Amino acid sequence: MSEDVDPDALQRDLDRIKDAMGIAERNENAPEQWLLFGVFVAVGSALSQYVVLQRLPGYWFAIIWLGLVGVGGTAVGYYTNTFEPTPEDRPNIALQVFAPYAAGFPLWAAVSPFLSDLAYEEEAALMLGVVLVLLGTGYVVAANSLRAYRIRVRDRRAFALGGLVLVALGVAIPAVDVLHTWGYAAFGGTYLAYAIASYGVLTRT
């Protein structure tokens, strides 16, 4: 004798199971990609710190970040198979993270003519601060959008917390004198520590 199955109850049970899934369970290579991207950011920050200390032309920042992190991060993503087609009814998480970051460059081009009175270190610190606030905002938005993929709360919080840290650091760098010179070192170290901590969160069952 077969038992009647309530389709609605079954769907609710399936939804609860999906809600408990982490990013690593959806894609086993995602935590490694996250960690490797943290290394790319640390390397980019070290190179940018050298640019600041040597007072090199500002276009080197764009070369470093659009080149090393952009191309390198994309290569890592394809190597670890973490880039998959985004379903039509789901938000594109990568776009939400990197669109605000990319917007920082034309934004800076728009306001730079009005910043001629700033010293070299002050201008570099302001640029970094603006980009970090935009990038952090993208992380927070992406954390909320991960709900559409039924990613567990713990993993979404890792995204959101990282975004808040980036926003706070972006505000602090232009405001703290020592960070005018050492802002990129602070960013690289902070982001690498965040990537390592997030790796632990994402891989914990």
Side-chain angles (χ1 to χ4, degrees):
M1 180 177 179
S2 61
E3 297 182 359
D4 293 334
V5 177
D6 184 348
D8 293 334
L10 180 59
Q11 185 61 51
R12 286 193 296 270
D13 289 340
L14 290 174
D15 289 343
R16 280 194 293 269
I17 293 172
K18 290 180 179 179
D19 285 340
M21 293 182 69
I23 292 175
E25 293 168 303
R26 293 294 181 95
N27 191 316
E28 62 180 3
N29 292 321
E32 285 74 18
Q33 190 264 354
W34 196 317
L35 187 60
L36 287 173
F37 190 74
V39 173
F40 273 104
V41 170
V43 172
S45 296
L47 293 174
S48 296
Q49 187 62 64
Y50 177 81
V51 170
V52 172
L53 294 176
Q54 298 299 316
R55 291 174 168 261
L56 299 179
Y59 60 76
W60 280 105
F61 295 117
I63 292 174
I64 290 169
W65 291 104
L66 293 178
L68 176 66
V69 177
V71 175
T74 301
V76 168
Y78 279 110
Y79 176 75
T80 56
N81 296 318
T82 55
F83 291 167
E84 298 179 354
T86 301
E88 291 293 333
D89 60 341
R90 304 287 175 86
N92 187 317
I93 302 300
L95 180 63
Q96 291 183 345
V97 170
F98 291 108
Y101 162 73
F105 292 96
L107 175 61
W108 187 256
V111 302
S112 59
F114 303 97
L115 305 175
S116 57
D117 292 337
L118 293 180
Y120 180 91
E121 290 84 357
E122 293 172 339
E123 184 174 346
L126 181 58
M127 176 183 178
L128 177 58
V130 168
V131 170
L132 291 186
V133 169
L134 291 172
L135 181 60
T137 301
Y139 270 60
V140 173
V141 172
N144 184 66
S145 296
L146 284 173
R147 298 174 64 183
Y149 292 86
R150 299 191 179 280
I151 297 298
R152 65 187 174 193
V153 174
R154 187 176 71 203
D155 290 16
R156 299 201 308 266
R157 285 176 178 168
F159 249 103
L161 179 60
L164 294 176
V165 169
L166 290 175
V167 170
L169 186 60
V171 172
I173 286 174
V176 180
D177 287 345
V178 69
L179 294 179
H180 292 178
T181 302
W182 296 101
Y184 280 100
F187 169 48
T190 299
Y191 195 92
L192 183 58
Y194 162 67
I196 294 172
S198 296
Y199 178 82
V201 171
L202 298 181
T203 55
R204 181 160 56 92
T205 57

